[in-house]
Amino acid sequence: MGDLSQQFIDLGLTGYEARAYLALLARDRYTAAQLARESGVPRQRIYDVLAGLTERGLVRVLPGGTTRYTAVEPASAVERLMAARRAEIDRLEQATVRLVESLAPVWSRGRQESDPLDYVEVLRGREVLGERIGEIQADARQEILAVAKLPYLLDDNTAGATTIRRLTRSGGRVRCVYERAALDDPALLADIRRYTAAGEEARVAANLPMRMWIVDGVRVVMSLRDPVAGSGSTTNIVIEHASLAQCLTYAFETIWTGADPVT
């Protein structure tokens, strides 16, 4: 009976209603107490269940001194449930059409709206910064200009040499200005030598204003020191803006011209 009960539940009955109706099929008539015992529906719930089945047209109340109930034959019962389901689906379809009609103009207007700062991305955390810079390097197609101010935010940039080789071998260019103090650190100097061996053009300057990458003349990554929190705190920003990239390229060229080649 479990499968039959589930099928009636699928047609819209509750679990108790399905059990009560199936129990009524097995006998011509039951009192409420008898039906509760035979169906397993709790006695305190049986009258509500029978009222629901009667309202749906699946059960009839028989006349007489003692109230007894009988089931409507299954073909009629199922057809009534199916009719109720069809009506429910029709109402749902109509409501869905109205919902779509209401939301479509909102969606259309939303396509025309944009955040005025969609081209600005703030990176928080060293791990996020490292992943994003790796993605930006991998997307580079023509040129990377870098200003490498100490201390470095990334302890490891193993993909850097791979990117440099890829770009320079395809006719691109990678240039970086380092702070002169980096040459006094054997590990940092080894990294610089590795990058220049891969094809990077490197120069050094006594002091640099900020950390910065300019990629393909469109994308800029800047690491800005927080003027309130102090030099130990930075805000890292990715900006996709060709005009800004062009302006900062002029600044880079000025720094590059005043810097010395790495020897």
Side-chain angles (χ1 to χ4, degrees):
M1 298 294 283
D3 291 341
L4 293 174
S5 179
Q6 184 59 51
Q7 291 180 56
F8 275 104
I9 291 172
D10 292 341
L11 287 172
L13 295 185
T14 68
Y16 284 162
E17 287 174 339
R19 287 161 62 179
Y21 178 76
L22 289 170
L24 278 169
L25 293 178
R27 185 170 170 179
D28 181 57
R29 63 193 66 194
Y30 274 119
T31 64
Q34 291 171 334
L35 182 60
R37 183 171 59 253
E38 292 297 323
S39 64
V41 175
R43 189 161 183 168
Q44 64 271 26
R45 293 293 312 279
I46 193 63
Y47 289 101
D48 291 338
V49 170
L50 284 167
L53 290 172
T54 301
E55 184 178 351
R56 293 172 183 269
L58 274 65
V59 167
R60 292 199 306 271
V61 179
L62 298 176
T66 300
T67 303
R68 287 182 170 81
Y69 302 86
T70 186
V72 171
E73 60 96 12
S76 297
V78 171
E79 179 54 35
R80 288 172 181 172
L81 291 175
M82 285 298 299
R85 273 297 200 199
R86 293 188 192 101
E88 181 181 350
I89 292 172
D90 287 342
R91 289 193 298 271
L92 183 60
E93 287 180 344
Q94 294 171 14
T96 301
V97 170
R98 291 193 297 271
L99 178 63
V100 171
E101 290 175 348
S102 299
L103 294 179
V106 179
W107 182 87
S108 297
R109 289 194 299 270
R111 305 287 69 74
Q112 301 170 8
E113 298 292 334
S114 62
D115 190 323
L117 293 179
D118 270 347
Y119 55 86
V120 178
E121 176 185 359
V122 178
L123 305 177
R124 293 183 173 86
R126 294 169 66 93
E127 183 177 347
V128 173
L129 176 64
E131 291 178 356
R132 193 70 180 94
I133 289 178
E135 293 172 356
I136 292 171
Q137 288 178 337
D139 289 340
R141 292 294 176 265
Q142 299 174 345
E143 181 182 59
I144 296 177
L145 307 177
V147 178
K149 180 176 179 61
L150 293 171
Y152 299 150
L153 294 179
L154 302 180
D155 298 326
D156 181 27
N157 187 17
T158 54
T162 301
T163 297
I164 293 168
R165 281 191 292 270
R166 176 177 60 80
L167 283 177
T168 55
R169 288 174 181 175
S170 64
R173 193 178 185 189
V174 179
R175 289 186 287 163
C176 183
V177 181
Y178 297 91
E179 283 196 314
R180 192 175 302 278
L183 303 180
D184 298 330
D185 186 317
L188 297 181
L189 180 59
D191 285 340
I192 295 172
R193 300 294 188 198
R194 180 158 53 94
Y195 298 148
T196 55
E200 178 185 85
E201 301 172 47
R203 293 188 179 183
V204 293
N207 294 291
L208 297 173
M210 62 186 296
R211 306 180 192 95
M212 179 175 67
W213 294 262
I214 305 172
V215 180
D216 292 337
V218 175
R219 186 176 295 174
V220 177
V221 183
M222 295 186 294
S223 180
L224 305 176
R225 289 183 176 179
D226 191 325
V228 177
S231 60
S233 178
T234 60
T235 299
N236 306 293
I237 305 173
V238 179
I239 303 176
E240 302 243 5
H241 198 290
S243 297
L244 176 65
Q246 183 180 23
C247 182
L248 291 175
T249 297
Y250 293 148
F252 174 86
E253 295 295 354
T254 299
I255 296 172
W256 179 264
T257 301
D260 300 318
V262 174
T263 57

